[in-house]
């Protein structure tokens, strides 16, 4: 074998090695992305189960959640329960922002947004809107735009 043919063979083997390495890296990235997506969905499901179990097992949380969804609007609550309701609203906002940011990062598809409560009817209540106005400066700007667009809030 001549030096020229040996050189060409070496270059071909090197090129093939680089290409195989790139394919391997691509497959690994794809697998890691799938694992990250599955982990995100699992964590959100765990949060939902924990929250639902808290509603089921804690009498105070259950009472507040029942009031939150009943016809007893915010104004009918005691000042202490109003504070609790505002904190429920803030927790809901934080949860929705988390889901939105995971969607933005490519970890959840858009179908997850309504599943995790992006369009809850209470988000249109005046007291919820007032709570939103208080916490919105602390939220991610992209989430603020999305949330207000979805809920038809005036900018």
């Amino acid at each position: 074998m001549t030096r020229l043919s040996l050189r060409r063979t070496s270059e071909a083997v090197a090129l093939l090695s680089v290409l195989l390495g790139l394919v391997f890296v691509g497959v690994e990235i794809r697998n890691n992305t799938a694992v990250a997506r599955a982990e995100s969905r699992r964590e959100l499901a765990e949060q939902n189960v924990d929250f639902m179990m808290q509603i089921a097992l804690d009498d105070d949380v259950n009472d507040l959640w029942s009031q939150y969804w009943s016809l007893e609007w915010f104004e009918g609550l005691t000042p202490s329960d109003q504070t609790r309701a505002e904190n429920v609203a803030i927790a809901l906002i934080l949860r929705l922002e988390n889901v939105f940011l995971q969607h933005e990062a490519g970890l959840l598809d858009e179908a997850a947004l309504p599943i995790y409560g992006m369009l809850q009817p209470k988000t249109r209540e005046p007291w919820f809107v007032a709570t939103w106005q208080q916490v919105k400066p602390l939220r991610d700007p992209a989430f603020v735009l999305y949330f207000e667009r979805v809920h038809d809030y005036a900018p």
Side-chain angles (χ1 to χ4, degrees), residues 64-143:
L64 182 61
W65 192 249
S66 296
Q67 289 175 358
Y68 180 75
W69 286 107
S70 75
L71 295 177
E72 298 175 34
W73 302 116
F74 185 77
E75 292 78 21
L77 299 176
T78 67
S80 176
D81 284 342
Q82 286 180 1
T83 300
R84 288 182 180 139
E86 288 169 350
N87 282 300
V88 167
I90 292 168
L92 175 62
I93 290 167
L94 292 173
R95 179 173 171 237
L96 297 177
E97 183 179 31
N98 178 29
V99 172
F100 173 81
L101 293 174
Q102 288 190 40
H103 164 66
E104 289 291 296
L107 297 174
L108 295 172
D109 57 28
E110 193 163 351
L113 297 177
I115 291 170
Y116 291 101
M118 195 58 80
L119 291 172
Q120 297 212 9
K122 292 294 182 181
T123 59
R124 291 185 179 13
E125 293 292 325
W127 66 269
F128 190 98
V129 175
T131 302
W132 168 251
Q133 295 303 323
Q134 290 175 358
V135 299
K136 124 174 149 172
L138 305 173
R139 309 288 31 105
D140 181 85
F143 171 69

Side-chain angles (χ1 to χ4, degrees), residues 3-65:
R3 283 187 182 196
L4 183 59
S5 65
L6 184 60
R7 181 175 171 199
R8 286 184 179 159
T9 303
S10 296
E11 288 174 355
V13 168
L15 178 62
L16 183 61
S17 296
V18 168
L19 291 175
L20 288 174
L22 289 174
V23 167
F24 175 77
V25 168
V27 168
E28 286 299 307
I29 289 172
R30 184 175 171 179
N31 289 342
N32 288 340
T33 301
V35 168
R37 286 181 177 157
E39 182 64 18
S40 290
R41 287 188 294 270
R42 186 194 62 73
E43 286 177 13
L44 287 172
E46 272 185 22
Q47 289 173 8
N48 283 342
V49 168
D50 289 346
F51 182 62
M52 299 313 276
M53 291 303 292
Q54 188 175 15
I55 291 170
L57 299 175
D58 185 311
D59 290 338
D60 291 335
V61 174
N62 184 289
D63 290 344
L64 182 61
W65 192 249

